[in-house]
Structures are given as structure tokens and as C-alpha cells.
Amino acid sequence: MTMAAGGFRFGRIILEPTVVFFRSKLSFAFVNIKPVLPGHVLVSPVRVVKRFCDLTEEEVADLFTSAQKVARVLEKAYDATSLSIAIQDGPDAGQTIEHVHVHLLPRKKGDFERNDDVYKALEEHDKQEAGTLSNLRTNEEMSKEASFLADLF
């Protein structure tokens, strides 16, 4: 895994290594600084790539295989019955970090009044995360969750 000075690179952001809980040859998964639902995590390619279509075939295969592995663990770890899996590819699709990433959200019956409200919450989450520093989790909180998840692999 290629690391930036002091952590993992996610677009312009340097992540602390302690928030990363899964690594494959070409991808990594990390906990979310402001999860929409408990267990909301991100899976991203190691190489910083802005758009999905700019990934190599090998990166696409590794990203989706990694997302599938992480999804299996999340569903069990958070006692979920389903998952929402989303990629916001480009700014007009709501992408705020210029690095391809897959959102994995463990879902349960009734977690949103209307099922598709999860996408509105995701859009609001990204706007808030990009524009403000309020209600963000501490590195300690994120590291604790990452450690819990890492132990499940």
C-alpha cells in the first residue's frame, strides 16, 4: 500500500493509517468521518483517480472485489439486512472528494422513512463534510471502529 507522508491518501486528504481497516493489492477501506448510518464506510483504489472510467480494468476488478468482501463483513458486524452501495462519479453526481470511492452503508428496515431518502442523506453528508468541520468524529472514535472491523477479516 502506498502511503502519503503520515497516512493514506484519499484525494487531497491524508488519512491516518489507524482509520484504514482493509487493504488489498489495489484498494483500501476506511471508516467514515461522518457516517450517514452506523457502519457507513468507504472503499477506494490506492491510486488517486478522480473518475471511475479512468480506473484500469485491474483496479475496477480489485475495487469491486474489495467492496464485496467488506460488504459481507459489514452486514454481519452491524446486524444489517441489506446494503446501499453507491459511487458518486464526478461533481454533478455529488462527488466532493476527487478520488473514486464506493460508499457502503449497512441497512435495516425502517432506518429511513422512505427507503431512497438514504441518497438525499448521502448528498447532504457530502456537502457538510466538504464545507464544514462540525459533527465530525475524532480520530480516536474512527480508529476504534476501524480496529473492530479489521479484526473481522
Side-chain angles (χ1 to χ4, degrees):
M1 172 86 203
T2 303
M3 287 182 39
F8 295 92
R9 201 144 165 240
F10 177 54
R12 67 185 183 281
I13 298 167
I14 305 298
L15 300 171
E16 293 292 328
T18 57
V19 305
V20 175
F21 64 88
F22 174 89
R23 291 175 223 138
S24 67
K25 179 181 173 188
L26 299 174
S27 303
F28 66 106
F30 56 101
V31 298
N32 202 317
I33 195 165
K34 192 171 183 177
V36 169
L37 292 168
H40 175 190
V41 303
L42 304 173
V43 183
S44 192
V46 171
R47 184 170 68 97
V48 177
V49 179
K50 291 181 184 181
R51 299 290 309 275
F52 181 76
C53 288
D54 295 329
L55 294 170
T56 66
E57 287 182 14
E58 187 178 15
E59 287 171 322
V60 170
D62 190 86
L63 180 66
F64 278 93
T65 299
S66 296
Q68 184 181 53
K69 288 177 182 178
V70 172
R72 283 186 185 118
V73 168
L74 284 180
E75 200 164 336
K76 290 178 186 172
Y78 290 92
D79 198 29
T81 56
S82 301
L83 293 159
S84 286
I85 301 170
I87 297 176
Q88 295 162 299
D89 189 34
D92 295 327
Q95 181 185 31
T96 57
I97 304 296
E98 292 183 336
H99 189 160
V100 174
H101 54 285
V102 179
H103 291 263
L104 298 175
L105 297 95
R107 300 291 306 273
K108 298 177 183 179
K109 185 175 180 116
D111 55 10
F112 285 93
E113 187 175 331
R114 291 178 345 127
N115 192 44
D116 283 349
D117 286 348
V118 67
Y119 301 109
K120 179 137 181 81
L122 191 58
E123 179 183 9
E124 291 303 314
H125 157 272
D126 285 349
K127 285 180 189 174
Q128 291 174 2
E129 188 173 320
T132 71
L133 296 177
S134 64
N135 299 323
L136 302 182
R137 297 195 302 169
T138 66
N139 277 334
E140 183 179 330
E141 291 168 320
M142 293 188 304
S143 296
K144 184 177 179 181
E145 181 181 24
S147 178
F148 162 71
L149 291 170
D151 287 344
L152 301 176
F153 287 93

